[in-house]
Amino acid sequence: MLPFARVTVIGLGLIGSSIARAVRDYMPSVRLTGHDASPAVREAARALRFADDVTDTAGAAVTDADLVILCVPVGAMAAVAAEIADELPADAIVSDVGSCKASVAAALTAHLPPAQVIPAHPVAGTEQSGPDAGFATLFRGRWCIVTPLADSDPTGVERVAEFWRRLGAEVEQMAPDHHDLVLAVTSHLPHLIAYTIVGTADDLEQVTESEVIKFSAGGFRDFTRIAASDPVMWRDVFLSNKDAVLDMLQRFSEDLSQLQRAIRWGDGDALYDRFARTRAIRRSIVDQGQDDAAADFGRKHD
Ligand code: NAP
């Protein structure tokens, strides 16, 4: 039996439209309603036909839903929760896909009954955004972390987990705070570093922009993919997961200073040990199916 029969997606960008497309492909009998604050996105969603219905208000989208998933930037979660509160059926579950969980849980429960709120985070995405960027297979083989609250209905938690399994994801449960710490190191810090490096290269005076672009295959271009991620989404992530990110950044700065010292004093052993350890981490990621083993990230070389 399907975990939900009437699903509403609010925010029809990369993640929301991917969920809608995946529901259509893998649970075709589910009725899917969508809403987005942007009239242009609503129009695009209607043309792309990944939802049965696209409503002009958030409230109208949830009136007969049994699952509502908020796919808006983290900073917009509270406003959407307030918009749907009066129309939400008493037996509906509200979930979300936000990249930070403690702040989103607080934002949702400020407006909605805590028993109905079951936050989640699919750890899958691309650097693209908008309704055209979504695709049905985005979540296949990726992790979705469900972060129930103390008051979350346990049956609802299992139904949300089953929903994500049906979309092809593997599901793990975590406390919201722990999620935020894990993601601070695996996702948020790498994005901050990429934004910094690409910005630094852009600000250089002795090296021209055309030289940076021309010789980017030396490593720089792999950072540019991450640094091309949506600025609104990432602004909100750093503001919402402030403590965990600052904690990880502090550790990162200390480790960077150690490497700086090793370079300054010609300590090749320290550098070699660090690089050998990190190479093994890359191998584990490939072994666990979280990336392709193809050389150079699978780029074609003719
Ligand atoms: P996106 O492509 O920019 O889509 C977000 C959509 O939400 C946009 O169409 C936006 O419209 C709309 N929106 C903004 N405020 C709204 C409101 N108050 N009511 C209704 N719609 C509103 O972003 P995304 O990448 O799908 O990210 C959505 C969520 O997924 C974020 O919380 C993010 O943290 C999470 N997430 C992202 C990724 C990733 O890799 N991208 C991965 C996992 C989780 P406008 O464009 O007009 O503002």
Side-chain angles (χ1 to χ4, degrees), residues 196-244:
T196 313
I197 291 182
V198 176
T200 303
D202 196 40
D203 291 342
L204 287 177
E205 278 139 22
Q206 312 95 305
V207 179
T208 65
E209 193 180 315
S210 67
E211 284 173 317
V212 169
I213 293 169
K214 190 167 162 188
F215 301 113
S216 64
F220 182 74
R221 69 179 181 190
D222 293 330
F223 285 101
T224 62
R225 185 191 69 74
I226 298 180
S229 299
D230 191 73
V232 172
M233 168 183 160
W234 283 97
R235 176 201 63 195
D236 287 4
V237 167
F238 292 118
L239 296 180
S240 303
N241 199 21
K242 183 175 159 180
D243 293 344

mmCIF file of all heavy atoms in Angstrom, residues 196-244:
data_model
loop_
_atom_site.group_PDB
_atom_site.id
_atom_site.type_symbol
_atom_site.label_atom_id
_atom_site.label_comp_id
_atom_site.label_asym_id
_atom_site.label_seq_id
_atom_site.Cartn_x
_atom_site.Cartn_y
_atom_site.Cartn_z
ATOM 1 N N THR A 196 34.717 30.448 -1.197
ATOM 2 C CA THR A 196 35.888 31.265 -0.864
ATOM 3 C C THR A 196 36.954 31.173 -1.958
ATOM 4 O O THR A 196 37.465 32.192 -2.431
ATOM 5 C CB THR A 196 36.514 30.798 0.475
ATOM 6 O OG1 THR A 196 35.471 30.653 1.420
ATOM 7 C CG2 THR A 196 37.527 31.797 0.989
ATOM 8 N N ILE A 197 37.293 29.952 -2.371
ATOM 9 C CA ILE A 197 38.376 29.782 -3.354
ATOM 10 C C ILE A 197 38.025 30.459 -4.668
ATOM 11 O O ILE A 197 38.855 31.154 -5.259
ATOM 12 C CB ILE A 197 38.643 28.285 -3.615
ATOM 13 C CG1 ILE A 197 39.263 27.646 -2.389
ATOM 14 C CG2 ILE A 197 39.538 28.099 -4.832
ATOM 15 C CD1 ILE A 197 39.604 26.201 -2.580
ATOM 16 N N VAL A 198 36.803 30.265 -5.122
ATOM 17 C CA VAL A 198 36.421 30.855 -6.407
ATOM 18 C C VAL A 198 36.428 32.376 -6.296
ATOM 19 O O VAL A 198 36.886 33.071 -7.201
ATOM 20 C CB VAL A 198 35.063 30.292 -6.881
ATOM 21 C CG1 VAL A 198 34.615 30.978 -8.166
ATOM 22 C CG2 VAL A 198 35.177 28.781 -7.114
ATOM 23 N N GLY A 199 35.997 32.891 -5.156
ATOM 24 C CA GLY A 199 36.028 34.343 -4.935
ATOM 25 C C GLY A 199 37.459 34.857 -4.879
ATOM 26 O O GLY A 199 37.784 35.895 -5.451
ATOM 27 N N THR A 200 38.352 34.090 -4.206
ATOM 28 C CA THR A 200 39.759 34.503 -4.100
ATOM 29 C C THR A 200 40.382 34.599 -5.487
ATOM 30 O O THR A 200 41.063 35.580 -5.811
ATOM 31 C CB THR A 200 40.554 33.475 -3.243
ATOM 32 O OG1 THR A 200 39.924 33.377 -1.974
ATOM 33 C CG2 THR A 200 41.998 33.900 -3.063
ATOM 34 N N ALA A 201 40.157 33.574 -6.310
ATOM 35 C CA ALA A 201 40.734 33.572 -7.667
ATOM 36 C C ALA A 201 40.215 34.763 -8.459
ATOM 37 O O ALA A 201 40.945 35.384 -9.239
ATOM 38 C CB ALA A 201 40.393 32.270 -8.380
ATOM 39 N N ASP A 202 38.957 35.082 -8.236
ATOM 40 C CA ASP A 202 38.334 36.180 -8.970
ATOM 41 C C ASP A 202 38.930 37.534 -8.565
ATOM 42 O O ASP A 202 38.966 38.473 -9.360
ATOM 43 C CB ASP A 202 36.823 36.145 -8.682
ATOM 44 C CG ASP A 202 36.055 36.986 -9.682
ATOM 45 O OD1 ASP A 202 36.418 36.944 -10.871
ATOM 46 O OD2 ASP A 202 35.112 37.686 -9.275
ATOM 47 N N ASP A 203 39.395 37.603 -7.289
ATOM 48 C CA ASP A 203 39.913 38.883 -6.775
ATOM 49 C C ASP A 203 41.399 39.107 -7.064
ATOM 50 O O ASP A 203 41.927 40.176 -6.789
ATOM 51 C CB ASP A 203 39.733 38.945 -5.249
ATOM 52 C CG ASP A 203 38.255 39.058 -4.883
ATOM 53 O OD1 ASP A 203 37.475 39.419 -5.768
ATOM 54 O OD2 ASP A 203 37.907 38.763 -3.723
ATOM 55 N N LEU A 204 42.092 38.049 -7.579
ATOM 56 C CA LEU A 204 43.548 38.178 -7.759
ATOM 57 C C LEU A 204 43.910 39.280 -8.744
ATOM 58 O O LEU A 204 43.226 39.439 -9.758
ATOM 59 C CB LEU A 204 44.126 36.852 -8.274
ATOM 60 C CG LEU A 204 44.194 35.705 -7.271
ATOM 61 C CD1 LEU A 204 44.710 34.453 -7.961
ATOM 62 C CD2 LEU A 204 45.100 36.068 -6.102
ATOM 63 N N GLU A 205 44.994 39.968 -8.422
ATOM 64 C CA GLU A 205 45.430 41.026 -9.344
ATOM 65 C C GLU A 205 46.560 40.561 -10.259
ATOM 66 O O GLU A 205 46.636 40.957 -11.421
ATOM 67 C CB GLU A 205 45.883 42.255 -8.559
ATOM 68 C CG GLU A 205 44.700 43.110 -8.134
ATOM 69 C CD GLU A 205 44.855 43.638 -6.723
ATOM 70 O OE1 GLU A 205 45.987 43.706 -6.245
ATOM 71 O OE2 GLU A 205 43.822 43.969 -6.099
ATOM 72 N N GLN A 206 47.419 39.641 -9.726
ATOM 73 C CA GLN A 206 48.594 39.247 -10.515
ATOM 74 C C GLN A 206 48.255 38.212 -11.578
ATOM 75 O O GLN A 206 49.040 37.958 -12.479
ATOM 76 C CB GLN A 206 49.706 38.651 -9.624
ATOM 77 C CG GLN A 206 50.035 39.446 -8.390
ATOM 78 C CD GLN A 206 49.259 38.908 -7.187
ATOM 79 O OE1 GLN A 206 48.035 38.816 -7.242
ATOM 80 N NE2 GLN A 206 49.948 38.597 -6.115
ATOM 81 N N VAL A 207 47.092 37.520 -11.407
ATOM 82 C CA VAL A 207 46.716 36.464 -12.354
ATOM 83 C C VAL A 207 45.424 36.905 -13.032
ATOM 84 O O VAL A 207 44.471 37.277 -12.353
ATOM 85 C CB VAL A 207 46.485 35.122 -11.604
ATOM 86 C CG1 VAL A 207 46.075 34.029 -12.567
ATOM 87 C CG2 VAL A 207 47.732 34.722 -10.834
ATOM 88 N N THR A 208 45.376 36.843 -14.346
ATOM 89 C CA THR A 208 44.189 37.375 -15.017
ATOM 90 C C THR A 208 43.036 36.366 -14.976
ATOM 91 O O THR A 208 43.251 35.158 -14.814
ATOM 92 C CB THR A 208 44.470 37.695 -16.498
ATOM 93 O OG1 THR A 208 44.754 36.460 -17.161
ATOM 94 C CG2 THR A 208 45.617 38.665 -16.655
ATOM 95 N N GLU A 209 41.823 36.884 -15.141
ATOM 96 C CA GLU A 209 40.631 36.029 -15.145
ATOM 97 C C GLU A 209 40.725 34.999 -16.272
ATOM 98 O O GLU A 209 40.373 33.839 -16.103
ATOM 99 C CB GLU A 209 39.392 36.904 -15.316
ATOM 100 C CG GLU A 209 38.107 36.156 -15.017
ATOM 101 C CD GLU A 209 36.895 37.054 -15.188
ATOM 102 O OE1 GLU A 209 36.936 38.193 -14.720
ATOM 103 O OE2 GLU A 209 35.924 36.578 -15.811
ATOM 104 N N SER A 210 41.244 35.437 -17.433
ATOM 105 C CA SER A 210 41.311 34.492 -18.555
ATOM 106 C C SER A 210 42.319 33.378 -18.258
ATOM 107 O O SER A 210 42.123 32.234 -18.665
ATOM 108 C CB SER A 210 41.640 35.206 -19.864
ATOM 109 O OG SER A 210 42.931 35.718 -19.801
ATOM 110 N N GLU A 211 43.373 33.665 -17.481
ATOM 111 C CA GLU A 211 44.318 32.601 -17.110
ATOM 112 C C GLU A 211 43.663 31.612 -16.145
ATOM 113 O O GLU A 211 43.850 30.396 -16.250
ATOM 114 C CB GLU A 211 45.562 33.220 -16.455
ATOM 115 C CG GLU A 211 46.505 33.863 -17.452
ATOM 116 C CD GLU A 211 47.643 34.612 -16.772
ATOM 117 O OE1 GLU A 211 47.388 35.326 -15.774
ATOM 118 O OE2 GLU A 211 48.778 34.504 -17.252
ATOM 119 N N VAL A 212 42.870 32.140 -15.219
ATOM 120 C CA VAL A 212 42.182 31.269 -14.249
ATOM 121 C C VAL A 212 41.247 30.311 -14.995
ATOM 122 O O VAL A 212 41.221 29.101 -14.735
ATOM 123 C CB VAL A 212 41.380 32.118 -13.226
ATOM 124 C CG1 VAL A 212 40.469 31.230 -12.393
ATOM 125 C CG2 VAL A 212 42.323 32.892 -12.319
ATOM 126 N N ILE A 213 40.520 30.848 -15.954
ATOM 127 C CA ILE A 213 39.558 30.012 -16.686
ATOM 128 C C ILE A 213 40.290 29.012 -17.584
ATOM 129 O O ILE A 213 39.988 27.823 -17.593
ATOM 130 C CB ILE A 213 38.584 30.908 -17.484
ATOM 131 C CG1 ILE A 213 37.709 31.680 -16.479
ATOM 132 C CG2 ILE A 213 37.735 30.099 -18.454
ATOM 133 C CD1 ILE A 213 36.879 32.782 -17.060
ATOM 134 N N LYS A 214 41.321 29.506 -18.277
ATOM 135 C CA LYS A 214 42.069 28.662 -19.220
ATOM 136 C C LYS A 214 42.705 27.456 -18.519
ATOM 137 O O LYS A 214 42.662 26.340 -19.026
ATOM 138 C CB LYS A 214 43.162 29.530 -19.849
ATOM 139 C CG LYS A 214 43.885 28.928 -21.006
ATOM 140 C CD LYS A 214 44.677 30.055 -21.684
ATOM 141 C CE LYS A 214 45.769 29.549 -22.564
ATOM 142 N NZ LYS A 214 46.609 30.673 -23.020
ATOM 143 N N PHE A 215 43.277 27.669 -17.326
ATOM 144 C CA PHE A 215 43.998 26.594 -16.658
ATOM 145 C C PHE A 215 43.188 25.994 -15.495
ATOM 146 O O PHE A 215 43.753 25.412 -14.578
ATOM 147 C CB PHE A 215 45.363 27.116 -16.183
ATOM 148 C CG PHE A 215 46.201 27.630 -17.323
ATOM 149 C CD1 PHE A 215 46.519 28.965 -17.433
ATOM 150 C CD2 PHE A 215 46.614 26.758 -18.330
ATOM 151 C CE1 PHE A 215 47.263 29.440 -18.502
ATOM 152 C CE2 PHE A 215 47.362 27.223 -19.409
ATOM 153 C CZ PHE A 215 47.685 28.570 -19.506
ATOM 154 N N SER A 216 41.878 26.099 -15.579
ATOM 155 C CA SER A 216 41.012 25.667 -14.469
ATOM 156 C C SER A 216 41.041 24.161 -14.243
ATOM 157 O O SER A 216 40.700 23.685 -13.154
ATOM 158 C CB SER A 216 39.578 26.123 -14.707
ATOM 159 O OG SER A 216 39.074 25.487 -15.858
ATOM 160 N N ALA A 217 41.453 23.363 -15.262
ATOM 161 C CA ALA A 217 41.462 21.902 -15.095
ATOM 162 C C ALA A 217 42.461 21.475 -14.026
ATOM 163 O O ALA A 217 42.436 20.322 -13.577
ATOM 164 C CB ALA A 217 41.788 21.226 -16.422
ATOM 165 N N GLY A 218 43.305 22.364 -13.563
ATOM 166 C CA GLY A 218 44.251 22.048 -12.494
ATOM 167 C C GLY A 218 43.583 21.831 -11.149
ATOM 168 O O GLY A 218 44.251 21.526 -10.167
ATOM 169 N N GLY A 219 42.278 21.925 -11.056
ATOM 170 C CA GLY A 219 41.572 21.695 -9.793
ATOM 171 C C GLY A 219 40.462 22.708 -9.571
ATOM 172 O O GLY A 219 39.399 22.383 -9.033
ATOM 173 N N PHE A 220 40.718 23.927 -10.000
ATOM 174 C CA PHE A 220 39.786 25.035 -9.757
ATOM 175 C C PHE A 220 38.374 24.748 -10.260
ATOM 176 O O PHE A 220 37.387 25.015 -9.582
ATOM 177 C CB PHE A 220 40.351 26.285 -10.454
ATOM 178 C CG PHE A 220 39.549 27.535 -10.284
ATOM 179 C CD1 PHE A 220 39.553 28.214 -9.077
ATOM 180 C CD2 PHE A 220 38.787 28.043 -11.324
ATOM 181 C CE1 PHE A 220 38.819 29.378 -8.912
ATOM 182 C CE2 PHE A 220 38.054 29.203 -11.176
ATOM 183 C CZ PHE A 220 38.067 29.871 -9.968
ATOM 184 N N ARG A 221 38.260 24.160 -11.444
ATOM 185 C CA ARG A 221 36.919 24.003 -12.028
ATOM 186 C C ARG A 221 36.015 23.093 -11.192
ATOM 187 O O ARG A 221 34.805 23.230 -11.232
ATOM 188 C CB ARG A 221 37.014 23.499 -13.469
ATOM 189 C CG ARG A 221 37.499 22.075 -13.578
ATOM 190 C CD ARG A 221 37.564 21.610 -15.003
ATOM 191 N NE ARG A 221 38.006 20.238 -15.047
ATOM 192 C CZ ARG A 221 38.338 19.604 -16.147
ATOM 193 N NH1 ARG A 221 38.289 20.201 -17.312
ATOM 194 N NH2 ARG A 221 38.717 18.341 -16.091
ATOM 195 N N ASP A 222 36.618 22.134 -10.452
ATOM 196 C CA ASP A 222 35.768 21.268 -9.620
ATOM 197 C C ASP A 222 35.161 22.043 -8.453
ATOM 198 O O ASP A 222 34.085 21.705 -7.971
ATOM 199 C CB ASP A 222 36.556 20.049 -9.140
ATOM 200 C CG ASP A 222 36.921 19.142 -10.321
ATOM 201 O OD1 ASP A 222 36.140 19.118 -11.291
ATOM 202 O OD2 ASP A 222 37.971 18.495 -10.282
ATOM 203 N N PHE A 223 35.836 23.083 -8.009
ATOM 204 C CA PHE A 223 35.258 23.952 -6.979
ATOM 205 C C PHE A 223 34.170 24.846 -7.580
ATOM 206 O O PHE A 223 33.227 25.211 -6.903
ATOM 207 C CB PHE A 223 36.335 24.845 -6.348
ATOM 208 C CG PHE A 223 37.226 24.117 -5.391
ATOM 209 C CD1 PHE A 223 38.483 23.694 -5.770
ATOM 210 C CD2 PHE A 223 36.800 23.860 -4.096
ATOM 211 C CE1 PHE A 223 39.302 23.017 -4.886
ATOM 212 C CE2 PHE A 223 37.620 23.195 -3.202
ATOM 213 C CZ PHE A 223 38.875 22.767 -3.596
ATOM 214 N N THR A 224 34.333 25.213 -8.859
ATOM 215 C CA THR A 224 33.355 26.138 -9.453
ATOM 216 C C THR A 224 31.975 25.495 -9.571
ATOM 217 O O THR A 224 30.980 26.192 -9.527
ATOM 218 C CB THR A 224 33.800 26.655 -10.843
ATOM 219 O OG1 THR A 224 33.918 25.551 -11.739
ATOM 220 C CG2 THR A 224 35.091 27.422 -10.771
ATOM 221 N N ARG A 225 31.926 24.169 -9.717
ATOM 222 C CA ARG A 225 30.604 23.529 -9.785
ATOM 223 C C ARG A 225 29.857 23.763 -8.467
ATOM 224 O O ARG A 225 28.706 24.196 -8.464
ATOM 225 C CB ARG A 225 30.727 22.016 -10.055
ATOM 226 C CG ARG A 225 29.364 21.360 -10.258
ATOM 227 C CD ARG A 225 29.444 19.852 -10.265
ATOM 228 N NE ARG A 225 29.764 19.268 -8.961
ATOM 229 C CZ ARG A 225 28.921 19.190 -7.938
ATOM 230 N NH1 ARG A 225 27.707 19.672 -8.036
ATOM 231 N NH2 ARG A 225 29.297 18.657 -6.796
ATOM 232 N N ILE A 226 30.529 23.538 -7.358
ATOM 233 C CA ILE A 226 29.878 23.733 -6.053
ATOM 234 C C ILE A 226 29.574 25.218 -5.834
ATOM 235 O O ILE A 226 28.503 25.582 -5.352
ATOM 236 C CB ILE A 226 30.763 23.175 -4.921
ATOM 237 C CG1 ILE A 226 30.949 21.671 -5.113
ATOM 238 C CG2 ILE A 226 30.152 23.449 -3.558
ATOM 239 C CD1 ILE A 226 31.805 21.015 -4.057
ATOM 240 N N ALA A 227 30.517 26.074 -6.239
ATOM 241 C CA ALA A 227 30.334 27.513 -6.005
ATOM 242 C C ALA A 227 29.281 28.124 -6.928
ATOM 243 O O ALA A 227 28.943 29.299 -6.778
ATOM 244 C CB ALA A 227 31.665 28.242 -6.171
ATOM 245 N N ALA A 228 28.742 27.323 -7.858
ATOM 246 C CA ALA A 228 27.669 27.815 -8.725
ATOM 247 C C ALA A 228 26.299 27.534 -8.099
ATOM 248 O O ALA A 228 25.268 27.843 -8.688
ATOM 249 C CB ALA A 228 27.752 27.145 -10.100
ATOM 250 N N SER A 229 26.270 26.948 -6.904
ATOM 251 C CA SER A 229 24.993 26.600 -6.256
ATOM 252 C C SER A 229 24.191 27.851 -5.916
ATOM 253 O O SER A 229 24.753 28.936 -5.762
ATOM 254 C CB SER A 229 25.259 25.794 -4.986
ATOM 255 O OG SER A 229 25.934 24.605 -5.318
ATOM 256 N N ASP A 230 22.889 27.638 -5.741
ATOM 257 C CA ASP A 230 21.938 28.739 -5.579
ATOM 258 C C ASP A 230 22.294 29.672 -4.407
ATOM 259 O O ASP A 230 22.376 29.231 -3.254
ATOM 260 C CB ASP A 230 20.543 28.136 -5.362
ATOM 261 C CG ASP A 230 19.482 29.201 -5.446
ATOM 262 O OD1 ASP A 230 19.213 29.672 -6.561
ATOM 263 O OD2 ASP A 230 18.945 29.583 -4.377
ATOM 264 N N PRO A 231 22.491 30.968 -4.676
ATOM 265 C CA PRO A 231 22.904 31.891 -3.597
ATOM 266 C C PRO A 231 21.862 32.081 -2.498
ATOM 267 O O PRO A 231 22.230 32.245 -1.332
ATOM 268 C CB PRO A 231 23.159 33.219 -4.329
ATOM 269 C CG PRO A 231 22.798 33.035 -5.742
ATOM 270 C CD PRO A 231 22.466 31.602 -6.008
ATOM 271 N N VAL A 232 20.575 32.045 -2.834
ATOM 272 C CA VAL A 232 19.538 32.211 -1.794
ATOM 273 C C VAL A 232 19.549 31.006 -0.856
ATOM 274 O O VAL A 232 19.579 31.138 0.371
ATOM 275 C CB VAL A 232 18.136 32.370 -2.425
ATOM 276 C CG1 VAL A 232 17.053 32.354 -1.358
ATOM 277 C CG2 VAL A 232 18.067 33.644 -3.250
ATOM 278 N N MET A 233 19.562 29.821 -1.471
ATOM 279 C CA MET A 233 19.565 28.601 -0.656
ATOM 280 C C MET A 233 20.754 28.597 0.301
ATOM 281 O O MET A 233 20.605 28.342 1.501
ATOM 282 C CB MET A 233 19.640 27.378 -1.574
ATOM 283 C CG MET A 233 19.940 26.114 -0.817
ATOM 284 S SD MET A 233 20.128 24.692 -1.886
ATOM 285 C CE MET A 233 21.040 23.608 -0.777
ATOM 286 N N TRP A 234 21.944 28.943 -0.207
ATOM 287 C CA TRP A 234 23.144 28.815 0.621
ATOM 288 C C TRP A 234 23.277 29.934 1.633
ATOM 289 O O TRP A 234 23.781 29.718 2.737
ATOM 290 C CB TRP A 234 24.378 28.618 -0.271
ATOM 291 C CG TRP A 234 24.354 27.197 -0.733
ATOM 292 C CD1 TRP A 234 23.869 26.727 -1.925
ATOM 293 C CD2 TRP A 234 24.699 26.052 0.049
ATOM 294 N NE1 TRP A 234 23.919 25.350 -1.939
ATOM 295 C CE2 TRP A 234 24.422 24.906 -0.745
ATOM 296 C CE3 TRP A 234 25.217 25.855 1.330
ATOM 297 C CZ2 TRP A 234 24.653 23.611 -0.290
ATOM 298 C CZ3 TRP A 234 25.443 24.559 1.776
ATOM 299 C CH2 TRP A 234 25.170 23.460 0.982
ATOM 300 N N ARG A 235 22.795 31.111 1.288
ATOM 301 C CA ARG A 235 22.747 32.179 2.299
ATOM 302 C C ARG A 235 21.931 31.674 3.491
ATOM 303 O O ARG A 235 22.348 31.769 4.657
ATOM 304 C CB ARG A 235 22.086 33.429 1.698
ATOM 305 C CG ARG A 235 21.896 34.558 2.694
ATOM 306 C CD ARG A 235 20.830 35.535 2.238
ATOM 307 N NE ARG A 235 19.522 34.905 2.146
ATOM 308 C CZ ARG A 235 18.463 35.431 1.508
ATOM 309 N NH1 ARG A 235 18.573 36.580 0.893
ATOM 310 N NH2 ARG A 235 17.302 34.798 1.483
ATOM 311 N N ASP A 236 20.761 31.103 3.216
ATOM 312 C CA ASP A 236 19.884 30.630 4.294
ATOM 313 C C ASP A 236 20.507 29.489 5.088
ATOM 314 O O ASP A 236 20.350 29.412 6.307
ATOM 315 C CB ASP A 236 18.539 30.174 3.710
ATOM 316 C CG ASP A 236 17.680 31.345 3.259
ATOM 317 O OD1 ASP A 236 18.155 32.501 3.332
ATOM 318 O OD2 ASP A 236 16.525 31.113 2.830
ATOM 319 N N VAL A 237 21.215 28.591 4.399
ATOM 320 C CA VAL A 237 21.835 27.460 5.099
ATOM 321 C C VAL A 237 22.839 27.978 6.135
ATOM 322 O O VAL A 237 22.816 27.572 7.298
ATOM 323 C CB VAL A 237 22.525 26.503 4.089
ATOM 324 C CG1 VAL A 237 23.441 25.515 4.812
ATOM 325 C CG2 VAL A 237 21.487 25.756 3.246
ATOM 326 N N PHE A 238 23.700 28.927 5.734
ATOM 327 C CA PHE A 238 24.719 29.401 6.670
ATOM 328 C C PHE A 238 24.115 30.202 7.821
ATOM 329 O O PHE A 238 24.571 30.118 8.951
ATOM 330 C CB PHE A 238 25.802 30.206 5.943
ATOM 331 C CG PHE A 238 26.624 29.317 5.048
ATOM 332 C CD1 PHE A 238 26.662 29.518 3.687
ATOM 333 C CD2 PHE A 238 27.317 28.235 5.583
ATOM 334 C CE1 PHE A 238 27.400 28.670 2.862
ATOM 335 C CE2 PHE A 238 28.049 27.382 4.764
ATOM 336 C CZ PHE A 238 28.088 27.609 3.403
ATOM 337 N N LEU A 239 23.053 30.944 7.525
ATOM 338 C CA LEU A 239 22.425 31.703 8.614
ATOM 339 C C LEU A 239 21.685 30.766 9.572
ATOM 340 O O LEU A 239 21.601 31.021 10.768
ATOM 341 C CB LEU A 239 21.456 32.747 8.041
ATOM 342 C CG LEU A 239 22.109 33.852 7.191
ATOM 343 C CD1 LEU A 239 21.073 34.829 6.663
ATOM 344 C CD2 LEU A 239 23.184 34.601 7.989
ATOM 345 N N SER A 240 21.159 29.659 9.048
ATOM 346 C CA SER A 240 20.355 28.752 9.878
ATOM 347 C C SER A 240 21.191 27.745 10.648
ATOM 348 O O SER A 240 20.791 27.285 11.706
ATOM 349 C CB SER A 240 19.366 27.970 9.010
ATOM 350 O OG SER A 240 18.562 28.848 8.303
ATOM 351 N N ASN A 241 22.335 27.355 10.081
ATOM 352 C CA ASN A 241 23.153 26.341 10.769
ATOM 353 C C ASN A 241 24.443 26.978 11.293
ATOM 354 O O ASN A 241 25.519 26.374 11.249
ATOM 355 C CB ASN A 241 23.466 25.175 9.817
ATOM 356 C CG ASN A 241 23.898 23.936 10.577
ATOM 357 O OD1 ASN A 241 23.613 23.795 11.772
ATOM 358 N ND2 ASN A 241 24.592 23.042 9.911
ATOM 359 N N LYS A 242 24.290 28.183 11.799
ATOM 360 C CA LYS A 242 25.414 29.022 12.205
ATOM 361 C C LYS A 242 26.374 28.325 13.174
ATOM 362 O O LYS A 242 27.578 28.268 12.933
ATOM 363 C CB LYS A 242 24.793 30.264 12.861
ATOM 364 C CG LYS A 242 25.727 31.312 13.303
ATOM 365 C CD LYS A 242 24.879 32.480 13.793
ATOM 366 C CE LYS A 242 25.667 33.364 14.707
ATOM 367 N NZ LYS A 242 24.846 34.484 15.185
ATOM 368 N N ASP A 243 25.855 27.780 14.274
ATOM 369 C CA ASP A 243 26.742 27.253 15.318
ATOM 370 C C ASP A 243 27.576 26.082 14.817
ATOM 371 O O ASP A 243 28.798 26.038 15.020
ATOM 372 C CB ASP A 243 25.925 26.825 16.552
ATOM 373 C CG ASP A 243 25.312 28.041 17.225
ATOM 374 O OD1 ASP A 243 25.759 29.163 16.935
ATOM 375 O OD2 ASP A 243 24.364 27.864 18.019
ATOM 376 N N ALA A 244 26.912 25.128 14.153
ATOM 377 C CA ALA A 244 27.644 23.942 13.679
ATOM 378 C C ALA A 244 28.663 24.341 12.616
ATOM 379 O O ALA A 244 29.799 23.837 12.610
ATOM 380 C CB ALA A 244 26.663 22.905 13.128
#
